Amino acid sequence: MSNMNMFDTIFNRKSVHHFLQEKIEWEVIADILQFADQLPMLTDGIAVEFKLVSNIEKNQGFHGPLAIKAPYYICLSSEEVGDYLLNAGYLMQQLNLYIESKGLGSCFVGYASPGKTLKANMKYNYVVALAFGKTTEQLYRDSSEANRLPTTDLVVYKEEVSSAIHQIIEAARLAPSSYNSQPWRFVVYKNRIHVFAKKSPWLVRAFDSNKMVDMGIMMANLLLAAEELWVEASIKKLDSLQNKKFRDNEYILTLVIG
Protein backbone atom coordinates (compact mmCIF):
# COMPACT_ATOMS: atom_id res chain seq x y z
CA MET A 1 0.00 0.00 0.00
CA SER A 2 1.07 3.56 -0.71
CA ASN A 3 1.90 6.14 1.95
CA MET A 4 1.09 9.14 -0.22
CA ASN A 5 -1.42 11.68 1.02
CA MET A 6 -4.15 13.01 -1.28
CA PHE A 7 -2.20 16.18 -2.11
CA ASP A 8 0.85 14.17 -3.26
CA THR A 9 -1.46 11.90 -5.24
CA ILE A 10 -2.73 14.88 -7.29
CA PHE A 11 0.75 15.28 -8.76
CA ASN A 12 1.63 11.60 -9.18
CA ARG A 13 -1.56 9.69 -9.96
CA LYS A 14 -2.62 8.33 -13.32
CA SER A 15 -5.85 6.70 -14.43
CA VAL A 16 -5.84 2.90 -14.51
CA HIS A 17 -7.87 1.06 -17.15
CA HIS A 18 -6.98 -2.59 -16.54
CA PHE A 19 -7.88 -4.22 -13.26
CA LEU A 20 -7.40 -7.62 -11.66
CA GLN A 21 -10.76 -9.27 -10.98
CA GLU A 22 -9.72 -9.82 -7.38
CA LYS A 23 -11.39 -9.11 -4.08
CA ILE A 24 -10.17 -6.27 -1.88
CA GLU A 25 -10.08 -6.81 1.89
CA TRP A 26 -13.38 -5.71 3.45
CA GLU A 27 -11.60 -3.37 5.92
CA VAL A 28 -10.23 -1.39 2.96
CA ILE A 29 -13.65 -1.20 1.27
CA ALA A 30 -15.32 -0.15 4.55
CA ASP A 31 -12.69 2.57 5.03
CA ILE A 32 -13.33 3.93 1.50
CA LEU A 33 -17.11 3.99 2.06
CA GLN A 34 -16.72 5.70 5.43
CA PHE A 35 -14.47 8.30 3.80
CA ALA A 36 -17.10 8.88 1.07
CA ASP A 37 -19.85 9.47 3.62
CA GLN A 38 -17.83 12.14 5.43
CA LEU A 39 -16.77 14.11 2.37
CA PRO A 40 -17.29 17.88 2.37
CA MET A 41 -19.66 19.13 -0.33
CA LEU A 42 -18.88 21.88 -2.78
CA THR A 43 -22.52 23.00 -2.46
CA ASP A 44 -24.32 22.22 0.78
CA GLY A 45 -27.87 20.95 0.77
CA ILE A 46 -27.69 18.63 -2.26
CA ALA A 47 -28.73 15.08 -1.38
CA VAL A 48 -26.42 12.41 -2.79
CA GLU A 49 -25.92 8.68 -2.41
CA PHE A 50 -22.77 6.60 -2.92
CA LYS A 51 -23.39 3.03 -4.02
CA LEU A 52 -20.75 0.32 -4.01
CA VAL A 53 -21.06 -2.23 -6.80
CA SER A 54 -19.08 -5.45 -6.55
CA ASN A 55 -18.56 -6.90 -10.01
CA ILE A 56 -16.78 -10.08 -8.93
CA GLU A 57 -19.53 -12.56 -8.05
CA LYS A 58 -21.74 -11.59 -10.96
CA ASN A 59 -21.27 -9.13 -13.76
CA GLN A 60 -23.39 -6.12 -12.81
CA GLY A 61 -21.15 -3.44 -14.15
CA PHE A 62 -21.37 -0.89 -16.91
CA HIS A 63 -22.46 -1.15 -20.52
CA GLY A 64 -21.31 0.50 -23.70
CA PRO A 65 -18.24 0.42 -25.93
CA LEU A 66 -16.33 2.61 -23.47
CA ALA A 67 -17.13 0.52 -20.40
CA ILE A 68 -14.21 -0.41 -18.17
CA LYS A 69 -14.29 -3.87 -16.61
CA ALA A 70 -13.39 -3.50 -12.97
CA PRO A 71 -13.94 -5.56 -9.83
CA TYR A 72 -15.60 -2.60 -8.05
CA TYR A 73 -17.42 0.60 -8.89
CA ILE A 74 -18.64 3.43 -6.71
CA CYS A 75 -21.62 5.17 -8.26
CA LEU A 76 -22.85 8.59 -7.25
CA SER A 77 -26.50 9.50 -7.64
CA SER A 78 -27.70 13.00 -6.83
CA GLU A 79 -30.69 15.27 -6.61
CA GLU A 80 -30.69 17.40 -9.76
CA VAL A 81 -30.62 20.81 -8.09
CA GLY A 82 -28.30 23.81 -8.30
CA ASP A 83 -24.68 22.99 -9.08
CA TYR A 84 -25.22 19.25 -8.60
CA LEU A 85 -22.87 18.29 -11.46
CA LEU A 86 -20.02 20.42 -10.08
CA ASN A 87 -20.70 18.97 -6.64
CA ALA A 88 -20.69 15.39 -7.98
CA GLY A 89 -17.31 15.85 -9.69
CA TYR A 90 -15.91 17.50 -6.57
CA LEU A 91 -16.97 14.59 -4.33
CA MET A 92 -15.81 11.87 -6.71
CA GLN A 93 -12.36 13.34 -7.32
CA GLN A 94 -11.72 13.45 -3.57
CA LEU A 95 -12.70 9.78 -3.47
CA ASN A 96 -10.56 9.04 -6.52
CA LEU A 97 -7.48 10.58 -4.86
CA TYR A 98 -8.18 8.78 -1.59
CA ILE A 99 -8.47 5.39 -3.32
CA GLU A 100 -5.24 5.93 -5.26
CA SER A 101 -3.43 7.14 -2.12
CA LYS A 102 -4.28 3.69 -0.69
CA GLY A 103 -2.32 1.99 -3.47
CA LEU A 104 -5.34 0.93 -5.56
CA GLY A 105 -6.02 1.79 -9.19
CA SER A 106 -9.01 3.90 -10.16
CA CYS A 107 -10.56 5.56 -13.17
CA PHE A 108 -13.63 7.67 -13.91
CA VAL A 109 -16.32 5.87 -15.87
CA GLY A 110 -17.26 8.60 -18.30
CA TYR A 111 -19.75 7.80 -21.02
CA ALA A 112 -20.53 4.17 -20.11
CA SER A 113 -23.87 3.66 -18.41
CA PRO A 114 -24.93 1.43 -15.52
CA GLY A 115 -27.57 -1.18 -16.39
CA LYS A 116 -31.29 -0.59 -15.72
CA THR A 117 -31.32 -2.73 -12.56
CA LEU A 118 -28.39 -0.86 -11.11
CA LYS A 119 -29.95 2.52 -11.94
CA ALA A 120 -33.26 1.44 -10.42
CA ASN A 121 -31.50 0.68 -7.14
CA MET A 122 -30.07 4.17 -6.83
CA LYS A 123 -31.73 6.65 -4.52
CA TYR A 124 -31.39 9.64 -6.87
CA ASN A 125 -30.43 10.15 -10.52
CA TYR A 126 -27.15 8.53 -11.60
CA VAL A 127 -24.40 11.07 -12.35
CA VAL A 128 -20.94 9.51 -12.38
CA ALA A 129 -18.94 6.46 -11.27
CA LEU A 130 -15.42 5.41 -10.39
CA ALA A 131 -14.00 2.03 -11.31
CA PHE A 132 -11.40 0.78 -8.84
CA GLY A 133 -9.44 -2.25 -7.76
CA LYS A 134 -6.06 -3.94 -7.68
CA THR A 135 -3.99 -3.64 -10.82
CA THR A 136 -0.66 -4.67 -12.29
CA GLU A 137 -0.45 -1.29 -14.07
CA GLN A 138 1.86 1.35 -12.68
CA LEU A 139 -0.16 3.60 -10.37
CA TYR A 140 2.05 6.65 -10.30
CA ARG A 141 4.09 8.76 -12.67
CA ASP A 142 5.91 12.05 -12.63
CA SER A 143 3.60 15.01 -13.28
CA SER A 144 5.79 16.02 -16.25
CA GLU A 145 4.57 12.85 -18.02
CA ALA A 146 0.91 13.90 -17.77
CA ASN A 147 -0.61 14.75 -21.13
CA ARG A 148 -1.98 18.19 -20.17
CA LEU A 149 -2.16 21.59 -21.81
CA PRO A 150 0.59 23.99 -20.69
CA THR A 151 -0.23 26.67 -18.14
CA THR A 152 0.14 29.32 -20.87
CA ASP A 153 -2.95 27.88 -22.65
CA LEU A 154 -5.06 27.78 -19.49
CA VAL A 155 -4.14 30.73 -17.30
CA VAL A 156 -3.97 34.51 -17.56
CA TYR A 157 -2.00 35.99 -14.65
CA LYS A 158 -3.12 39.57 -14.05
CA GLU A 159 -0.67 40.11 -11.18
CA GLU A 160 2.45 38.55 -9.69
CA VAL A 161 1.26 35.79 -7.36
CA SER A 162 2.82 33.68 -4.62
CA SER A 163 4.42 30.28 -5.26
CA ALA A 164 1.49 28.73 -3.33
CA ILE A 165 -1.00 30.14 -5.88
CA HIS A 166 1.16 28.81 -8.72
CA GLN A 167 1.12 25.37 -7.08
CA ILE A 168 -2.67 25.49 -6.60
CA ILE A 169 -3.08 26.26 -10.32
CA GLU A 170 -0.70 23.42 -11.19
CA ALA A 171 -2.84 21.03 -9.09
CA ALA A 172 -5.91 22.16 -11.03
CA ARG A 173 -4.11 21.78 -14.38
CA LEU A 174 -3.36 18.11 -13.63
CA ALA A 175 -7.01 17.13 -13.02
CA PRO A 176 -8.42 14.30 -15.16
CA SER A 177 -11.33 15.04 -17.54
CA SER A 178 -13.55 13.22 -20.06
CA TYR A 179 -11.53 12.54 -23.22
CA ASN A 180 -8.82 14.67 -21.55
CA SER A 181 -10.81 17.71 -22.73
CA GLN A 182 -9.44 20.00 -19.94
CA PRO A 183 -12.27 22.57 -20.18
CA TRP A 184 -11.00 24.81 -17.35
CA ARG A 185 -9.56 28.29 -17.81
CA PHE A 186 -8.34 30.71 -15.12
CA VAL A 187 -7.84 34.44 -14.66
CA VAL A 188 -5.61 34.88 -11.63
CA TYR A 189 -5.01 37.81 -9.26
CA LYS A 190 -3.20 37.86 -5.89
CA ASN A 191 -6.41 37.51 -3.95
CA ARG A 192 -8.77 35.73 -6.35
CA ILE A 193 -8.90 33.08 -9.03
CA HIS A 194 -11.74 33.40 -11.54
CA VAL A 195 -12.70 29.98 -12.90
CA PHE A 196 -14.16 29.61 -16.40
CA ALA A 197 -15.21 26.66 -18.57
CA LYS A 198 -14.40 26.62 -22.25
CA LYS A 199 -17.61 26.79 -24.30
CA SER A 200 -18.31 23.60 -26.23
CA PRO A 201 -18.84 23.65 -30.00
CA TRP A 202 -22.62 23.46 -30.53
CA LEU A 203 -22.32 19.94 -31.98
CA VAL A 204 -21.16 18.51 -28.65
CA ARG A 205 -23.28 20.60 -26.27
CA ALA A 206 -25.16 17.41 -25.37
CA PHE A 207 -22.04 16.41 -23.43
CA ASP A 208 -22.01 19.60 -21.36
CA SER A 209 -23.14 17.68 -18.27
CA ASN A 210 -19.84 15.76 -18.43
CA LYS A 211 -18.02 19.07 -18.72
CA MET A 212 -19.55 20.36 -15.50
CA VAL A 213 -18.61 17.13 -13.70
CA ASP A 214 -15.06 17.68 -15.04
CA MET A 215 -15.09 21.23 -13.63
CA GLY A 216 -16.06 19.78 -10.24
CA ILE A 217 -13.18 17.28 -10.47
CA MET A 218 -10.79 20.16 -11.08
CA MET A 219 -12.27 22.13 -8.14
CA ALA A 220 -11.40 19.22 -5.82
CA ASN A 221 -7.74 19.50 -6.86
CA LEU A 222 -7.85 23.29 -6.52
CA LEU A 223 -9.37 23.31 -3.02
CA LEU A 224 -7.34 20.36 -1.70
CA ALA A 225 -4.16 22.12 -2.80
CA ALA A 226 -5.27 25.38 -1.15
CA GLU A 227 -5.96 23.54 2.11
CA GLU A 228 -2.65 21.67 2.02
CA LEU A 229 -0.71 24.90 1.38
CA TRP A 230 -2.50 26.81 4.17
CA VAL A 231 -4.13 29.20 1.72
CA GLU A 232 -7.48 30.36 3.03
CA ALA A 233 -9.97 30.21 0.18
CA SER A 234 -13.73 30.57 -0.19
CA ILE A 235 -16.03 30.23 -3.18
CA LYS A 236 -18.16 33.08 -4.48
CA LYS A 237 -20.16 33.73 -7.62
CA LEU A 238 -19.69 37.33 -8.67
CA ASP A 239 -22.72 39.02 -10.24
CA SER A 240 -20.45 41.26 -12.33
CA LEU A 241 -19.01 38.18 -14.07
CA GLN A 242 -22.19 36.07 -14.07
CA ASN A 243 -24.02 38.74 -16.05
CA LYS A 244 -21.19 39.27 -18.52
CA LYS A 245 -21.07 37.49 -21.88
CA PHE A 246 -17.76 35.93 -22.88
CA ARG A 247 -17.13 34.71 -26.40
CA ASP A 248 -15.15 31.53 -25.74
CA ASN A 249 -15.71 30.77 -22.06
CA GLU A 250 -18.46 30.72 -19.46
CA TYR A 251 -17.92 31.99 -15.94
CA ILE A 252 -18.28 29.31 -13.24
CA LEU A 253 -17.13 30.79 -9.93
CA THR A 254 -14.39 32.69 -8.13
CA LEU A 255 -12.00 31.41 -5.50
CA VAL A 256 -11.44 34.30 -3.08
CA ILE A 257 -8.06 34.06 -1.36
CA GLY A 258 -7.65 35.18 2.25
Side-chain angles (χ1 to χ4, degrees):
M1 286 285 175
S2 153
N3 294 319
M4 263 197 251
N5 69 14
M6 287 165 65
F7 176 69
D8 296 330
T9 306
I10 287 173
F11 297 93
N12 295 290
R13 66 163 293 284
K14 69 182 195 58
S15 297
V16 164
H17 297 95
H18 301 286
F19 297 93
L20 299 169
Q21 293 302 112
E22 271 180 28
K23 279 192 173 175
I24 295 171
E25 299 71 20
W26 175 247
E27 294 75 24
V28 176
I29 299 275
D31 176 61
I32 289 168
L33 293 175
Q34 189 181 1
F35 178 81
D37 283 335
Q38 293 169 350
L39 280 172
M41 297 266 191
L42 190 66
T43 309
D44 286 330
I46 298 177
V48 299
E49 181 195 42
F50 292 97
K51 192 169 203 64
L52 175 74
V53 178
S54 172
N55 205 27
I56 293 175
E57 289 79 15
K58 59 178 183 152
N59 188 355
Q60 49 174 354
F62 283 70
H63 306 286
L66 301 170
I68 289 164
K69 186 169 166 56
Y72 299 94
Y73 303 92
I74 288 187
C75 305
L76 180 75
S77 64
S78 172
E79 280 185 303
E80 294 188 352
V81 294
D83 284 330
Y84 78 97
L85 293 168
L86 274 180
N87 187 57
Y90 177 71
L91 292 170
M92 289 299 260
Q93 174 64 354
Q94 291 175 81
L95 199 49
N96 185 28
L97 293 168
Y98 187 70
I99 288 169
E100 292 215 5
S101 75
K102 297 281 171 200
L104 294 166
S106 67
C107 176
F108 277 95
V109 180
Y111 291 105
S113 173
K116 274 185 191 159
T117 318
L118 200 46
K119 269 190 178 168
N121 283 323
M122 291 179 193
K123 200 166 178 183
Y124 308 104
N125 289 323
Y126 168 74
V127 183
V128 64
L130 271 175
F132 73 99
K134 295 177 184 177
T135 180
T136 53
E137 275 188 44
Q138 205 171 334
L139 279 181
Y140 308 115
R141 50 119 172 89
D142 190 83
S143 62
S144 62
E145 294 167 33
N147 177 20
R148 298 290 187 271
L149 292 166
T151 312
T152 46
D153 287 8
L154 302 174
V155 190
V156 174
Y157 285 102
K158 293 288 196 182
E159 296 174 331
E160 281 291 318
V161 299
S162 66
S163 61
I165 301 290
H166 279 292
Q167 205 170 355
I168 289 167
I169 291 292
E170 179 61 6
R173 186 183 78 89
L174 290 168
S177 54
S178 313
Y179 291 128
N180 202 20
S181 55
Q182 306 168 66
W184 36 80
R185 298 292 182 269
F186 308 96
V187 176
V188 182
Y189 294 83
K190 275 181 193 155
N191 62 351
R192 59 198 185 280
I193 298 171
H194 299 310
V195 177
F196 294 84
K198 198 167 161 36
K199 283 183 182 167
S200 311
W202 68 270
L203 279 171
V204 295
R205 295 248 161 107
F207 298 121
D208 266 8
S209 62
N210 275 70
K211 180 171 81 179
M212 293 316 283
V213 171
D214 290 340
M215 293 300 293
I217 290 169
M218 178 278 297
M219 286 304 301
N221 279 18
L222 199 70
L223 289 168
L224 271 167
E227 189 182 348
E228 178 76 17
L229 298 166
W230 299 87
V231 171
E232 209 169 298
S234 58
I235 288 169
K236 289 203 167 57
K237 291 198 176 192
L238 305 180
D239 290 343
S240 57
L241 291 176
Q242 274 192 300
N243 300 326
K244 208 171 171 183
K245 288 273 180 281
F246 298 93
R247 197 186 63 184
D248 298 323
N249 302 297
E250 58 182 305
Y251 171 70
I252 304 296
L253 49 79
T254 295
L255 199 66
V256 179
I257 311 290

